[in-house]
Every structure is written in C-alpha cells, then in structure tokens.
Amino acid sequence: MKWKEPTFGATPMLKALTTANAHRKAQVFDLAAEQKKQKLNYPSWSEPWMRKYKEDWYIAKANGDEVGMRTAQKLAEGLRSKLREMEKMPKAEQEQMQKETVCWMEGRMNGDIKKMNAAEERGKALRGQAVASRNDSEQKSIVEDNSEKRNEPSNKEKNNSDKSPVLQRDDAIKKAIKITASFEGSGYANIAGNSDDQGLSLGILQWNIGQGTLQPMLISFVNKYNNQAKEIFGQNYTSLAKALQGSKQDQMNWARSINDNHNKIKKVWKEQLIAMCNTKEFQEIQNKAMDKYIKQAYSLASTFNLKTERGLALAFDIAVQNWACTSSRTKSINQKIKSGNLSEQEALKLIAQGAVDKSSEKNKDDVKSRKFTIVNGIGTVHGKSYNLQRDFDLTNKYFK
C-alpha cells in the first residue's frame, strides 16, 4: 500500500484572515486612478460594488481560484459597461437604470435568478426607451437646424454641452467658475464650519459633509496619498480615517466635534485642513470634482436652450448650489419660455426664480441674491457688491 500525503482545506481561522486581508486591500484600492485609466466616472453608489468585486478577486487570488478571479473581473467590467451606457441616457432613465443594475447585482449575490432576470428585462426596456429618445432628439435637432437664423450659434456651438467637461473649460466656463467661487468664498483653501449646519465646508466650491460632497474627496486623498495624509494630520489622522469609514451620521458627528462653540473649525484642525487644501494633490482632486458640475451646467444650458455666457454662468451656479430644477418645474419653465416667445434674458429670470422656489426657506435669500446677481449683472451677495461685467468680464455673447 502506497503512502498518500494527507491534504487539508483552509482552516476557519485562515479563511477569516484571508477575507479580512482582502477586505482591507479592497478598501484602500485606488479607485480614482482606475477611473482615470478607464476614462470613466464611478458614481458614489457604484463604488461599494467595485470594492466588493475587488475583495472577491483578492480572496480568489489568495485561494488560487482562477475561475473566481475571472468571475470577479467579469462582474466589475460588466458594471463599468453599465456605467458607460448610463452616461448616454437622460437623467430620469439613468436613475432607473441604476436601480435595475443594483437589483441585478443583489440578485446575483443572493443567488436569486428570478430577481436577476426581472431586473435584466426592465433594463432592456430602459435601453430601448433611451435609444428612441435619442432618435427623437436627433430628429428634432435636424428640424431646428433647418430653421436656424443667421445670427444664431452654429451646430458646433449648439452641441457643446455634449462634449467632455474637461475639454469645455473655455473662457465662458472659467468665468462661471470664478463667479460661483467668489460667491462661495473663493480659494482652494477656503474653509468654513458648522454655521450652515453642513458640519465642515472647504475648497473652491465649498464641498461639505452635510450634503455628502466632501467625503469622496477626503477618502480619495487619504487612500491615494496616505503617507502625506498621516504627515499632515498627525495624531488627528486616526479620528479622520475612522469618520470616513463610518456612516453619514458618524461623519456629521465628527465634523461637529471639530467645531468650537461658535461653529468655527478648531485651530489645529483648521491648520491641518488648510495644509491639505494647499497641496497640489488635493487641488487636483478639487479640479476633478468640479467636472461633474461643469457637465451638469452644460446639461442645464442645453435643457433650457441657453446660448450666452450669462446663461452658462447661471446654469453653473444652479448646478453647484441647487444641482437642478425638478422635472415638473423644468417642463413648466420651458412651456412658459416657448409660449411667450421669451428672449434668453427673460428666460433667465424664470429659471432663476425656479431655483429660488426649489430652495428651503432658510436658503431662499442666499439663492435669490446669487441667481439674480448673475441675471441682472449687478447685485449684492453675502454683503459684497458685484458688477459681473467689470469684475469677471461676463457678457451676453454666445459661449463656444
């Protein structure tokens, strides 16, 4: 009888260690660099799924499971494919496709084939709607182009909003950014405390904890430039890192804890946060974070058929402060613009008032002062007087 070496599977302890190590590696994986390589933006809802697939891949690799590695890689690529598809859809259909994508992934994770198939069928229907919508839009564009007046912008100018926001940083959008940045306080290292119930706000566009716009930027910096983050924050690094790993409420509690009794950021934290803001690395993160607002500004300009620098400036300020009007309000405004055959200047007043009406009572005065200063070209925001043509060379010329 020949001796046969005994074989042993992984012990529960080893499995636990493998899983814990894979989880750690997935959590610190540089998604920002991957997005740049893929030329794709990961919405916040998709990031946990991407990290889950990374974790599955690391576990499979540690176990020598090549099939598991390929499966995890295939699922990640499938999600990236869906994200690319969603970028071309109208916003309402994007939101619905997001729900169906998550539903499909949850079904697969739980082994629920019925749920997966139902989500896939609904996704196919949405894709069909998106194609039909694009075809209708293209046909409408042809009709509008044929009726174009000589003094209206060219097709190239009309379609600017469809281009990459990075490529659209022309004079008009730069003026818009400067105007909104001035309203927000201006500067990469601009910092504010909890006076507006947002916990902590910083940067050119005052990204903040309350609205959840600052957390992804801080996470990106901590993950991508970890040694630099530890050097800047010193003993406070652990508190920051723990907060970023917690829930939204944990993050707000942390933000409030670094405020003093006057809702100003405590001295040590303020110095450290400003030091981070002054690094070229965090400034690059801020620049990248602006891209989604630039893209949204062009989308709003297209929605309301705005052609001027002033119109784009208003669209950008709405994107930053309000993000968008509701679909019903947008429809109502466009109907009034068309039925009244309004000029763009008259249309801007309706759009600005729509942004004001959408705002909470607490913020209405601030929103109104900003929006109508842009519309009128002069006004007062946060106690500062503005003449936008003099201060920023804002005109009614068509943007290109």
Side-chain angles (χ1 to χ4, degrees):
M1 181 176 179
K2 291 184 178 180
W3 169 256
K4 186 177 181 181
E5 288 286 344
T7 57
F8 301 95
T11 64
M13 177 63 76
L14 184 57
K15 287 182 179 179
L17 289 173
T18 299
T19 300
N21 187 49
H23 180 75
R24 179 187 61 79
K25 291 170 73 174
Q27 291 304 307
V28 299
F29 183 84
D30 191 351
L31 285 181
E34 180 174 278
Q35 291 177 74
K36 186 175 181 181
K37 181 179 178 181
Q38 295 285 342
K39 297 181 180 179
L40 177 67
N41 289 326
Y42 292 170
S44 58
W45 65 267
S46 70
E47 290 189 1
W49 286 99
M50 283 299 182
R51 294 197 186 279
K52 179 190 181 304
Y53 296 145
K54 295 292 179 188
E55 182 176 333
D56 291 347
W57 188 89
Y58 286 128
I59 291 172
K61 183 181 180 183
N63 294 326
D65 180 3
E66 293 186 2
V67 174
M69 292 169 65
R70 286 196 296 271
T71 299
Q73 195 170 11
K74 185 177 179 180
L75 287 169
E77 184 52 46
L79 178 52
R80 283 191 285 269
S81 178
K82 285 286 191 296
L83 294 176
R84 290 190 177 93
E85 189 176 56
M86 287 182 216
E87 285 183 339
K88 300 175 183 178
M89 291 182 170
K91 186 176 180 182
E93 289 170 7
Q94 281 186 24
E95 292 173 351
Q96 189 59 42
M97 183 58 83
Q98 171 193 326
K99 293 177 183 177
E100 301 307 338
T101 300
V102 171
C103 188
W104 187 93
M105 292 187 295
E106 288 175 344
R108 190 191 183 286
M109 183 173 63
N110 298 324
D112 189 338
I113 303 298
K114 185 176 179 180
K115 185 175 183 180
M116 289 172 61
N117 290 340
E120 181 61 32
E121 287 302 314
R122 291 192 295 268
K124 285 180 181 178
L126 284 169
R127 283 191 288 273
Q129 291 174 19
V131 170
S133 178
R134 283 199 297 273
N135 289 340
D136 289 345
S137 178
E138 288 169 2
Q139 185 61 39
K140 182 180 178 182
S141 178
I142 292 171
V143 173
E144 290 176 345
D145 287 347
N146 288 335
S147 63
E148 203 173 42
K149 296 180 181 179
R150 287 173 58 188
N151 63 338
E152 288 185 341
S154 65
N155 291 343
K156 181 178 179 181
E157 291 169 325
K158 283 192 172 208
N159 294 329
N160 266 341
S161 60
D162 296 330
K163 295 181 180 178
S164 164
V166 175
L167 298 177
Q168 281 296 139
R169 292 182 184 226
D170 54 14
D171 287 343
I173 199 64
K174 286 179 180 177
K175 291 176 185 179
I177 291 171
K178 288 179 180 178
I179 290 167
T180 294
S182 181
F183 292 165
E184 294 284 349
S186 194
Y188 283 107
N190 184 33
I191 186 167
N194 194 41
S195 58
D196 56 356
D197 297 324
Q198 301 304 321
L200 164 68
S201 305
L202 58 79
I204 293 176
L205 299 184
Q206 289 291 272
W207 293 277
N208 59 73
I209 297 294
Q211 295 179 31
T213 53
L214 180 56
Q215 290 92 317
M217 299 167 68
L218 294 175
I219 290 170
S220 178
F221 183 75
V222 167
N223 287 346
K224 192 171 183 180
Y225 309 105
N226 191 253
N227 290 337
Q228 197 171 2
K230 289 178 177 177
E231 182 178 346
I232 290 172
F233 291 98
Q235 293 181 345
N236 283 333
Y237 171 82
T238 302
S239 173
L240 171 63
K242 182 179 179 181
L244 294 176
Q245 292 172 2
S247 65
K248 176 73 175 295
Q249 189 58 53
D250 293 333
Q251 292 160 356
M252 275 300 294
N253 291 341
W254 166 78
R256 292 189 183 105
S257 76
I258 68 171
N259 278 261
D260 62 21
N261 293 333
H262 302 288
N263 285 323
K264 295 184 182 296
I265 302 300
K266 294 175 181 177
K267 183 180 178 182
V268 173
W269 276 104
K270 184 175 181 179
E271 290 173 349
Q272 291 170 341
L273 289 165
I274 288 175
M276 177 189 68
C277 288
N278 283 330
T279 64
K280 65 180 179 60
E281 290 81 8
F282 196 74
Q283 289 177 9
E284 288 173 359
I285 290 172
Q286 289 194 49
N287 290 336
K288 184 175 180 181
M290 272 193 287
D291 283 347
K292 76 172 185 178
Y293 296 106
I294 294 172
K295 186 174 182 180
Q296 176 68 355
Y298 279 104
S299 176
L300 289 170
S302 177
T303 297
F304 293 112
N305 197 28
L306 304 178
K307 306 179 183 72
T308 66
E309 290 183 350
R310 190 178 309 281
L312 185 61
L314 179 63
F316 184 76
D317 200 64
I318 290 173
V320 171
Q321 193 178 29
N322 315 90
W323 186 247
C325 296
T326 62
S327 57
S328 60
R329 195 179 300 278
T330 297
K331 184 177 180 180
S332 173
I333 290 171
N334 271 328
Q335 285 176 342
K336 290 178 182 178
I337 291 172
K338 290 177 181 178
S339 62
N341 194 25
L342 302 183
S343 67
E344 181 163 317
Q345 183 64 22
E346 292 170 326
L348 292 182
K349 293 178 181 178
L350 283 179
I351 297 166
Q353 188 59 49
V356 174
D357 293 341
K358 179 191 175 185
S359 305
S360 65
E361 287 299 322
K362 181 178 179 180
N363 295 324
K364 278 189 188 299
D365 288 343
D366 182 44
V367 174
K368 184 175 183 178
S369 66
R370 287 170 60 151
K371 302 303 179 281
F372 281 94
T373 292
I374 294 173
V375 172
N376 299 324
I378 57 173
T380 302
V381 179
H382 302 154
K384 181 179 178 180
S385 296
Y386 286 92
N387 180 318
L388 300 185
Q389 183 171 7
R390 178 196 65 204
D391 301 336
F392 301 97
D393 192 29
L394 185 69
T395 72
N396 290 322
K397 294 178 182 177
Y398 289 141
F399 62 84
K400 297 182 179 181

